[in-house]
Amino acid sequence: MVAQLQPKASPHQPPAPQLNDKPPIRNYWPYYQRQSISLTILAQILATTVLGGSLLITGIGTDRLEFWLIIMAALVASSLINIFIMLLIVAPFRDVLTAITRMAGEPTDEALPNPNARNYEKHGFGTLLQYLYALPSATHSDSNEAQSVERFEAALRRIRGGIAILDESGQLLYATDGVPQTIDSDGNAHLELVFDSRETISEWLASVAQHEVHADRIWLRVPDKLVGEENRRIYNISASYEQGSSAPLTLLFFDNSDYYQPEDDQLDFIAFAAHELRGPVTVIRGYLDVFAQEIAGQPGQQETELLLSRLIVSANRLGNYISNILNVSRYDRRHLQVHLSEQSLAAIYDSIRDDMSLRASSQNRKLSVNIPPDLPTVAADPNTLSEVFANLIDNAIKYSHEGGTVTISANEDRGMVRVDVIDRGIGMPKNVMRNLFHKFYRSHRSRETVAGTGIGLYITKAIIESHGGTIEVQSEEGKGTTFRFTVPIYATVADQLAARDDGSLGLITNPQATISNHAKYRG
C-alpha cells in the first residue's frame, strides 16, 4: 500500500491563469502610458479652453497677441507639469507590472525594480515587491511542481529501501514501495519488522512524544521476517521525530540485506556444524576430566596436569562457543526456550566455578567472587544463566591485564538481584559501547588482538531480558569495564510463573513477542 505524492496548490496561491492566445502583459504598460498622457493633454486642452473663455469675458479678444501667448503658455506649462506628476504617481504601478511581466516569463526592456531602493524603504511598497518576487512563476509553477514530484518519486524508486511517515500515535500515514508493510484484518497498514531485544519504533515514539520536541534514533540490522523465512530483508532505519509537525515521525529505510544476510546464512551453516560437533566435544571434555582426575596428585605429573588444564579450558571454551551459536540460531527463530524456576544464584555460579577458575588461572588472571549464599532466591533458568556468567567472565578475562583480577559480586537491589562483573583492563570508548550488544559486532581493535565470535554479548542480553532483567555496561578507556545485570527475585514473580504451565515468562518462546530494550550504555 503506497501513498502517491500529488502536487498541491498553496492555499495562498490562486490557480495559474491560462495565458495562451492572450495579449502579453508587457504590452499593457505602453498602452496605459499612452492613454494616460492622451487623457492628460485632453484635460489640459479643456482647461485651456475655459481659460480662453475667461479672457474673452475680461475683454482680451482673440485679435490680440497677448491672448494667444497666454493660452499657449498655459497649455504647455500645465500639460508638462501634469504629465510629470502623473508619471510619478503611476511609477509604482509600472514597477508592479514590470515585476509581474518578468514573473510571467515575458521579455521586457524595463529594468527589474529594486525592492531595496531608498524611495521604497519608507513605506511598504518594497515589501510588496519582495512578496511578488517570492511567489512562484504563474506560468510554470504547476509544471515545475509536477516535475519536482516526478523526480522525487523516481529517486525513491531507485533507493534500496524507502520512506515512511507515522503520526504521533504510530499510525502509518505514508509509505513507499520499499518499506516493509503488512495489512491487518481492518485494512490498516502497519510496519512489518522483527525487533530482537531492542526498543521498538512504537516504544521509542511513545517515549519521545511525552518528553521531547525533537529526537533522532538509528536502528541497525532490523529484519522484516525471522531467519529462514522466504524473501527476508534486513534494514538500517533512521528516525526523526518533530512534535507538532504535519509529518511527526519520518523513517528512512536502507535495505542492507546483501551485507547482512550472508552473515545469517553463514550462522545457519555454523549452527548446523556446531550441532554435529556438540556430541564429540562433550565426549572429549569427559575424557579430559577423567584423565585429569587419574593423574591428580601423582608425583612427576605437574607438566601433564598443566597441559591437561589448558586442554580442558580450551575444550570448555569451545563448548561455550557451540552453546552460544546454537542459542543464537534458536533465538533468531524464536525457538529459544527459557524455563524459569526458583534457583539460588550462588548454586548456579558454583556449577561453573571450577571451569571459570581454570580459565582465569590458565591466562594468569585472578577471580574474586562474592555471591552471598543467603541472597534471596531468583527466578532463573540455570542452564542459560550459567552461560551468561561464563560469557561475561570470559570476556572480562580476555580484556583484563596480565595478572589482573576480575571481580564478580551480587547484591539485592529493589526486588532484583544485581550482579557486577568488573575488570580493570583496557576499557572501551563510547562509540563501541553503543553497538556492543549487536549481533556479530566487534570493534576493530578487538578483532586484531582478541579471539571471539561477536555473538556472546548478543545472546547474553537476550537471555537476561528473557528473565525479565536488564543489562548495562559502564567503561572507561584504560581503566576497565563493568557489566551489570539483574534478575528478578523469585518471590516477586512467583504468581506470574505459577500462572504459566511451562514456567516461562514467555518473552522469547512466543513467536510474536518482542523484547523491550532496557539496556543502558554509560561511559
Side-chain angles (χ1 to χ4, degrees):
M1 181 177 181
V2 180
Q4 299 295 324
L5 295 174
Q6 298 292 339
K8 295 193 295 185
S10 166
H12 305 292
Q13 177 186 342
Q18 301 299 318
L19 300 180
N20 297 332
D21 302 326
K22 298 289 184 181
I25 298 174
R26 65 177 181 273
N27 289 354
Y28 182 70
W29 171 247
Y31 166 78
Y32 179 79
Q33 191 177 41
R34 289 193 302 270
Q35 290 292 101
S36 299
I37 293 174
S38 299
L39 290 174
T40 299
I41 293 173
L42 179 60
Q44 296 311 308
I45 291 174
L46 292 176
T48 303
T49 302
V50 172
L51 175 62
S54 300
L55 291 174
L56 289 174
I57 292 173
T58 59
I60 302 176
T62 57
D63 56 341
R64 297 178 60 178
L65 181 60
E66 293 89 339
F67 176 87
W68 294 109
L69 288 176
I70 292 172
I71 292 297
M72 291 300 297
L75 178 62
V76 171
S78 60
S79 295
L80 292 176
I81 292 172
N82 280 282
I83 290 173
F84 177 75
I85 294 173
M86 183 270 298
L87 291 176
L88 286 178
I89 292 174
V90 300
F93 180 61
R94 177 201 61 200
D95 290 344
V96 169
L97 279 177
T98 302
I100 293 176
T101 301
R102 286 292 185 93
M103 290 169 57
E106 295 183 6
T108 176
D109 295 331
E110 296 287 341
L112 196 65
N114 180 8
N116 298 315
R118 181 174 300 178
N119 58 316
Y120 292 156
E121 288 182 350
K122 298 179 181 179
H123 44 74
F125 190 73
T127 305
L128 172 62
L129 288 176
Q130 289 178 339
Y131 178 78
L132 286 175
Y133 294 153
L135 291 175
S137 167
T139 305
H140 306 290
S141 60
D142 284 350
S143 60
N144 287 345
E145 188 170 358
Q147 289 176 0
S148 297
V149 171
E150 184 178 350
R151 292 191 192 102
F152 180 68
E153 291 186 329
L156 287 181
R157 287 192 292 270
R158 290 196 299 271
I159 293 175
R160 297 197 60 183
I163 297 177
I165 298 174
L166 280 67
D167 63 16
E168 300 270 358
S169 64
Q171 180 66 40
L172 188 60
L173 301 177
Y174 168 83
T176 59
D177 287 331
V179 174
Q181 306 172 62
T182 183
I183 308 298
D184 62 21
S185 58
D186 296 327
N188 298 318
H190 302 276
L191 296 177
E192 185 180 22
L193 297 169
V194 179
F195 289 85
D196 41 49
S197 58
R198 289 170 288 179
E199 187 177 39
T200 67
I201 291 174
S202 297
E203 291 168 343
W204 176 77
L205 176 60
S207 175
V208 298
Q210 292 180 358
H211 308 291
E212 306 289 344
V213 175
H214 177 84
D216 298 306
R217 172 75 187 266
I218 293 176
W219 287 265
L220 301 178
R221 203 183 189 113
V222 181
D224 61 347
K225 296 180 178 64
L226 296 177
V227 173
E229 295 185 7
E230 292 185 0
N231 301 318
R232 181 173 183 259
R233 310 303 297 174
I234 307 173
Y235 302 89
N236 290 341
I237 305 172
S238 175
S240 180
Y241 169 76
E242 189 75 36
Q243 191 178 87
S245 169
S246 57
L249 179 60
T250 302
L251 301 174
L252 301 181
F253 288 76
F254 301 94
D255 188 342
N256 286 338
S257 303
D258 292 345
Y259 179 77
Y260 290 132
Q261 191 60 46
E263 292 181 340
D264 286 340
D265 293 340
Q266 290 170 12
L267 182 62
D268 280 348
F269 173 76
I270 294 170
F272 174 77
H275 186 270
E276 297 301 314
L277 287 171
R278 190 171 200 173
V281 169
T282 301
V283 172
I284 292 172
R285 290 167 67 181
Y287 279 118
L288 287 173
D289 289 338
V290 171
F291 192 17
Q293 291 173 8
E294 288 292 330
I295 66 171
Q298 294 185 13
Q301 298 294 329
Q302 288 81 3
E303 289 187 6
T304 304
E305 288 185 26
L306 178 60
L307 176 61
L308 273 176
S309 68
R310 290 176 177 173
L311 288 173
I312 291 171
V313 167
S314 297
N316 289 341
R317 182 168 285 144
L318 179 59
N320 194 50
Y321 286 157
I322 290 173
S323 294
N324 282 338
I325 291 169
L326 293 176
N327 282 338
V328 168
S329 180
R330 295 187 191 108
Y331 173 66
D332 284 345
R333 289 170 169 78
R334 296 303 187 265
H335 294 162
L336 180 62
Q337 296 184 359
V338 177
H339 299 285
L340 306 183
S341 59
E342 186 174 11
Q343 300 288 333
S344 164
L345 194 66
I348 292 175
Y349 180 76
D350 284 342
S351 68
I352 60 169
R353 179 186 293 274
D354 292 342
D355 182 27
M356 296 297 100
S357 298
L358 198 55
R359 291 192 196 187
S361 62
S362 67
Q363 297 189 49
N364 195 24
R365 306 295 197 272
K366 299 176 183 178
L367 292 183
S368 174
V369 182
N370 180 22
I371 303 179
D374 59 349
L375 279 174
T377 56
V378 295
D381 178 281
N383 293 327
T384 57
L385 197 58
S386 64
E387 290 184 23
V388 169
F389 272 114
N391 285 335
L392 295 180
I393 294 172
D394 191 53
N395 201 67
I397 290 172
K398 288 190 292 188
Y399 290 99
S400 60
H401 297 302
E402 182 82 12
T405 298
V406 174
T407 302
I408 303 101
S409 63
N411 297 280
E412 184 178 355
D413 184 12
R414 291 173 296 182
M416 310 288 282
V417 171
R418 187 189 74 234
V419 178
D420 292 334
V421 179
I422 305 169
D423 70 73
R424 304 300 178 192
I426 61 176
M428 293 177 287
K430 291 182 179 179
N431 63 312
V432 170
M433 287 191 289
R434 283 196 295 268
N435 300 308
L436 202 58
F437 295 101
H438 291 172
K439 185 166 62 174
F440 298 122
Y441 177 78
R442 302 194 73 219
S443 68
H444 293 292
R445 182 172 60 179
S446 64
R447 286 179 194 161
E448 297 171 356
T449 59
V450 180
T453 60
I455 60 175
L457 292 176
Y458 171 75
I459 195 61
T460 292
K461 185 172 187 288
I463 291 171
I464 288 300
E465 292 186 343
S466 73
H467 281 68
T470 64
I471 185 168
E472 61 183 70
V473 58
Q474 300 177 18
S475 187
E476 188 174 349
E477 284 193 272
K479 294 187 177 181
T481 300
T482 297
F483 280 93
R484 175 173 296 153
F485 69 86
T486 61
V487 286
I489 292 174
Y490 181 77
T492 65
V493 295
D495 292 341
Q496 292 175 260
L497 294 177
R500 297 187 58 87
D501 295 333
D502 58 359
S504 168
L505 290 181
L507 293 178
I508 287 184
T509 54
N510 180 359
Q512 303 301 322
T514 57
I515 301 174
S516 299
N517 177 16
H518 301 287
K520 302 174 184 176
Y521 310 96
R522 294 204 294 263

